[in-house]
Amino acid sequence: MIDWTAILAALGLSAPVATVLGIGLRFALPSLVHAIRVWMIDLALKRAGGQMFSILVAEGYTGGPVDPARLERLLATGVRYMQNRLGETLTKVGVSAEDLRSMVQGAFGELLAKAQASPAATPAPADGMRPA
């Protein structure tokens, strides 16, 4: 374990201040790391949904329901993307395979709902970049 008190004292903080900050860091750091992992999962879900929607549009999707076989292929692609990108993070947070599939399906469903609500406009890519 990192001795934050020694590090803070070496930076020139007085012993009482270094002790209080060191204890605070010791307790806050795991929560901060967990919050960052959850944020990374959320961001990757948006990207996976965007990737799946892009594949669907490239295949000629113009609206309406997606046939079950195509949906299964897209979900498998999204889950694979998430596992390749965040495999260890998903394990540390404790996301099961069923939960991951459900999360990916939900992210994709949100994009489909937005597309069907406004058929003239396609949703922006997940990374916030618009094509030129």
Side-chain angles (χ1 to χ4, degrees):
M1 179 177 273
I2 298 172
D3 185 6
W4 291 105
T5 306
I7 293 171
L8 294 171
L11 292 174
L13 294 174
S14 66
V17 172
T19 302
V20 170
L21 287 175
I23 290 171
L25 283 172
R26 188 168 294 140
F27 288 111
L29 197 58
S31 297
L32 180 63
V33 168
H34 180 76
I36 290 171
R37 286 180 178 147
V38 170
W39 174 77
M40 288 171 50
I41 290 172
D42 185 54
L43 182 62
L45 278 170
K46 289 177 185 174
R47 290 184 178 200
Q51 177 189 27
M52 293 163 55
F53 189 78
S54 296
I55 292 170
L56 190 62
V57 169
E59 291 176 349
Y61 176 75
T62 57
V66 179
D67 81 76
R70 181 187 276 178
L71 181 61
E72 285 303 316
R73 276 190 304 112
L74 289 168
L75 288 176
T77 300
V79 168
R80 216 173 25 252
Y81 170 82
M82 291 290 292
Q83 288 171 336
N84 290 340
R85 184 158 178 100
L86 296 173
E88 187 176 327
T89 300
L90 293 169
T91 303
K92 287 184 178 181
V93 172
V95 177
S96 69
E98 300 87 31
D99 290 341
L100 179 60
R101 187 183 186 290
S102 177
M103 290 163 51
V104 168
Q105 187 171 1
F108 182 57
E110 287 178 13
L111 282 177
L112 279 180
K114 287 179 185 176
Q116 290 174 356
S118 60
T122 57
D127 62 2
M129 305 276 296
R130 291 231 178 244

